[in-house]
Amino acid sequence: MKKSVILSKEEISKQYKFMSDVKSITGGNKKVYIQTFGCQQNEADSERLLGMAEQMGYEKTADPKQADLILVNTCAVREHAELKALSITGGFKHCKEANPELIIGVCGCMVSQEHRINDIKKRYPYINFLLGTTLIHRLPETLYETLTQKKRIFRIDSDACVIAEDLPVKREPGKADAWVSVMYGCNNFCSYCIVPYVRGRERSREPEAVLSEIKALIKDGVKVITLLGQNVNSYSPAGRENYGFADLLSDICRLDGEAVISFMTSHPKDATERLIDVIAENPPKKNKVGIARRFHLPLQSGSDRILKAMNRHYDIERYLYLVDYMKKKIPDIAITSDIIVGFPTETEEEFLETLEILKRVRFDNVYSFIYSRRNGTPAAEMDGQIPEDIKGERLRRLLDVQTAIGKEKYLDSVGKTVRALVEDVSKTDGARLTARTETNRLIHFEGDASLIGDYAYFYVEKAEAHELFGRFIKKD
Ligand code: 5AD
Ligand code: SF4
């Protein structure tokens, strides 16, 4: 297995040099449009792409027709996301016809797969460059070559193991929340999943780099920080034998200031009692850095046989043990999960086992997916692929069960007083504001916009399946 390497200062300064070269070639004052698909990790990657683009003189625009550079940051986890990215990219052909100087680059997980690269080479001649997920730090070099060599560039290395520190990041100004990657890649090779093939091997950032980034964010007034990684529970920085994710969380909670930390995604095979203890010991508090009362623990299936076929390395007994331990140590914890329905060979009985676990655990929320066959993964080759209509029907039944549970759980909050961070004006009702509780529940309430960014207490009056309605009591 390749060892992870933190890019040398020279390598990074090379990219900075390309940034200033690009700016002098174009003269600056350019515009970049970015379209992002997929997970939070991709959103975080887009912030880095935008950060580099900004240094090269490209200001962000919300209108692709105005852009001098269009970046499409793609996802490959399910076919649906790929088809959407391809169709949107297809639409940008008109922008190129209107402005032949326009540069179009497609980045991310979709273009880290051989068959897609060939497809794009042939069918999308107006795309200037492809940049694989593990190589996005080389955007400056790629843009420079595109501008100077007038040729198409395909820069892909899905096996890369590098960590790029100290590159610019463009976060939306004034936002109360931020993402911080703590590790990249995945070594698990769940049999349905494309991620290990496109995001390379697991590599963890040094704790010092993570801590100083978080310190700076807190100083800037960021109140909610989500630590990101495909499997944060296997965080293990190079050369630090006994330092794991629980240690990183404890160190973060010792920083000065006030913030709520959450993290995703966890793998049940690597989640430990110690990690749960650290969460229990560090609740969010005024003037403290604490950990959100929420835990995303993807189950994927309620059947031991299917979990084995998925190569997940835990069984239902272990999963339920972790859930019970969490509920015991952190009684107000909101547990959420991912479920895949219609994995090859899944029987009706095995699907019913999944529904039973949903009823037993009573998740706050479940992200459920129809199994999507991914080229190059072992599950794609398995006999016993489930017909689309059965997969669709299983998803609907699962959603019915979970919606009822979610509503009951949210109803539990009615009549209670909860602490929440006021986030924004409500998207569904401009006369109200929204706040988010430490368990990630959204509350709509009437209040003054000056409250945005403050913690406050609310009395919950009403609940729907995914939202609460409350009355503002007082600021914390
Ligand atoms: N089909 C459907 N869902 C998938 N996921 C990952 N790969 C696939 C696939 N091939 C889901 C898993 C994972 C989430 C991020 O996406 O549930 O936890
Ligand atoms: Fe995919 Fe499994 Fe890795 Fe998650 S842990 S990214 S599901 S291979």
Side-chain angles (χ1 to χ4, degrees):
M1 197 156 283
K2 271 202 200 173
K3 268 180 105 171
S4 66
V5 188
I6 298 190
L7 285 183
S8 65
K9 289 233 173 342
E10 291 78 62
E11 189 60 37
I12 295 293
S13 29
K14 211 169 96 190
Q15 296 303 324
Y16 273 94
K17 171 86 172 55
F18 282 121
M19 288 184 218
S20 62
D21 288 350
V22 168
K23 200 168 175 177
S24 30
I25 295 172
T26 64
N29 272 329
K30 298 282 174 194
K31 291 207 159 39
V32 55
Y33 173 83
I34 192 159
Q35 177 102 34
T36 308
F37 294 89
C39 62
Q40 282 88 350
Q41 192 83 53
N42 247 23
E43 298 279 353
D45 286 350
S46 285
E47 290 182 345
R48 292 208 293 162
L49 289 165
L50 280 177
M52 290 182 273
E54 189 175 54
Q55 295 260 330
M56 292 187 273
Y58 290 83
E59 194 195 321
K60 189 178 164 189
T61 170
D63 178 5
K65 289 194 208 77
Q66 303 275 319
D68 304 284
L69 169 66
I70 291 182
L71 297 173
V72 186
N73 195 8
T74 61
C75 169
V77 168
R78 283 169 290 275
E79 189 181 23
H80 181 70
E82 290 199 326
L83 297 181
K84 225 163 121 192
L86 285 172
S87 113
I88 291 217
T89 308
F92 291 144
K93 190 175 172 196
H94 302 297
C95 300
K96 186 88 167 195
E97 280 161 1
N99 171 17
E101 296 298 304
L102 168 67
I103 295 176
I104 303 180
V106 183
C107 325
C109 294
M110 184 179 81
V111 300
S112 305
Q113 307 166 92
E114 205 68 46
H115 69 289
R116 288 293 182 208
I117 300 167
N118 295 333
D119 199 28
I120 289 172
K121 273 185 187 167
K122 274 199 235 111
R123 288 181 42 216
Y124 298 81
Y126 52 90
I127 290 177
N128 296 83
F129 65 83
L130 302 185
L131 192 56
T133 320
T134 55
L135 297 173
I136 57 163
H137 57 278
R138 289 173 70 184
L139 174 70
E141 179 181 354
T142 309
L143 198 52
Y144 176 81
E145 287 172 3
T146 305
L147 285 163
T148 52
Q149 299 173 11
K150 303 279 178 208
K151 65 170 190 194
R152 304 176 80 196
I153 295 171
F154 305 103
R155 182 152 280 145
I156 314 291
D157 173 9
S158 56
D159 207 23
C161 282
V162 296
I163 299 178
E165 295 288 358
D166 300 324
L167 284 172
V169 177
K170 168 86 180 153
R171 296 192 157 101
E172 290 294 326
K175 255 178 76 179
D177 58 335
W179 294 297
V180 172
S181 298
V182 300
M183 47 104 59
Y184 305 97
C186 181
N187 288 351
N188 292 314
F189 291 93
C190 299
S191 62
Y192 50 80
C193 189
I194 195 74
V195 168
Y197 304 89
V198 292
R199 280 197 177 267
R201 297 290 60 77
E202 275 180 12
R203 51 218 186 268
S204 301
R205 291 178 69 195
E206 306 219 312
E208 293 72 24
V210 176
L211 288 164
S212 74
E213 186 173 348
I214 294 180
K215 235 192 225 168
L217 287 170
I218 297 175
K219 203 163 150 242
D220 275 359
V222 171
K223 296 267 175 53
V224 177
I225 296 170
T226 307
L227 309 180
L228 294 180
Q230 244 66 46
N231 175 15
V232 290
N233 303 143
S234 67
Y235 175 77
S236 63
R240 304 285 282 267
E241 291 287 292
N242 296 313
Y243 193 95
F245 188 59
D247 303 293
L248 180 67
L249 275 182
S250 307
D251 283 347
I252 292 171
C253 289
R254 276 197 278 273
L255 294 175
D256 291 332
E258 179 170 342
V260 178
I261 308 294
S262 58
F263 53 88
M264 66 193 312
T265 283
S266 292
H267 194 306
K269 86 175 162 57
D270 299 310
T272 58
E273 287 88 335
R274 162 109 203 285
L275 170 63
I276 297 167
D277 293 343
V278 170
I279 302 170
E281 287 154 15
N282 289 285
K285 265 194 216 137
K286 195 169 171 66
N287 298 325
K288 271 275 305 160
V289 178
I291 308 174
R293 305 341 252 162
R294 54 195 267 214
F295 205 115
H296 185 65
L297 195 63
L299 167 68
Q300 312 299 3
S301 165
S303 147
D304 280 340
R305 191 189 70 85
I306 294 290
L307 286 176
K308 213 171 171 118
M310 287 176 162
N311 196 30
R312 291 287 288 175
H313 294 284
Y314 56 86
D315 59 13
I316 296 301
E317 192 183 339
R318 172 72 187 160
Y319 188 90
L320 291 177
Y321 169 79
L322 284 170
V323 163
D324 290 342
Y325 189 83
M326 257 191 266
K327 288 181 175 172
K328 188 173 86 194
K329 291 279 175 153
I330 317 162
D332 57 344
I333 190 99
I335 306 173
T336 55
S337 205
D338 291 346
I339 303 277
I340 297 176
V341 298
F343 183 82
T345 75
E346 181 189 67
T347 64
E348 169 68 13
E349 289 69 34
E350 286 161 340
F351 169 66
L352 290 175
E353 285 182 67
T354 301
L355 295 187
E356 280 314 305
I357 303 293
L358 256 50
K359 291 179 196 158
R360 156 84 161 73
V361 176
R362 295 176 63 75
F363 293 109
D364 243 56
N365 200 356
V366 167
Y367 302 88
S368 43
F369 307 104
I370 287 181
Y371 168 71
S372 172
R373 210 168 171 172
R374 306 285 63 212
N375 223 310
T377 61
E381 308 302 319
M382 286 179 189
D383 292 333
Q385 300 286 329
I386 307 291
E388 291 304 319
D389 55 338
I390 297 185
K391 289 198 268 190
E393 187 237 0
R394 286 185 188 163
L395 182 76
R396 280 190 294 281
R397 284 158 67 200
L398 186 139
L399 285 173
D400 283 347
V401 169
Q402 181 54 36
T403 306
I405 295 170
K407 174 133 197 208
E408 278 168 27
K409 293 212 64 162
Y410 272 49
L411 275 172
D412 285 349
S413 300
V414 175
K416 291 191 179 135
T417 299
V418 294
R419 183 176 184 263
L421 175 66
V422 183
E423 278 189 345
D424 210 344
V425 175
S426 164
K427 290 202 174 52
T428 47
D429 175 357
R432 290 179 198 244
L433 299 177
T434 53
R436 200 171 284 277
T437 69
E438 285 145 10
T439 54
N440 202 31
R441 292 178 177 181
L442 206 60
I443 307 184
H444 301 268
F445 69 101
E446 278 173 22
D448 194 278
S450 65
L451 287 170
I452 292 174
D454 286 332
Y455 279 99
Y457 289 97
F458 299 88
Y459 178 77
V460 182
E461 295 173 320
K462 199 176 114 184
E464 293 292 338
H466 296 292
E467 52 198 356
L468 301 173
F469 298 85
R471 184 154 39 81
F472 169 75
I473 302 179
K474 63 172 174 108
K475 277 213 247 186
D476 186 20

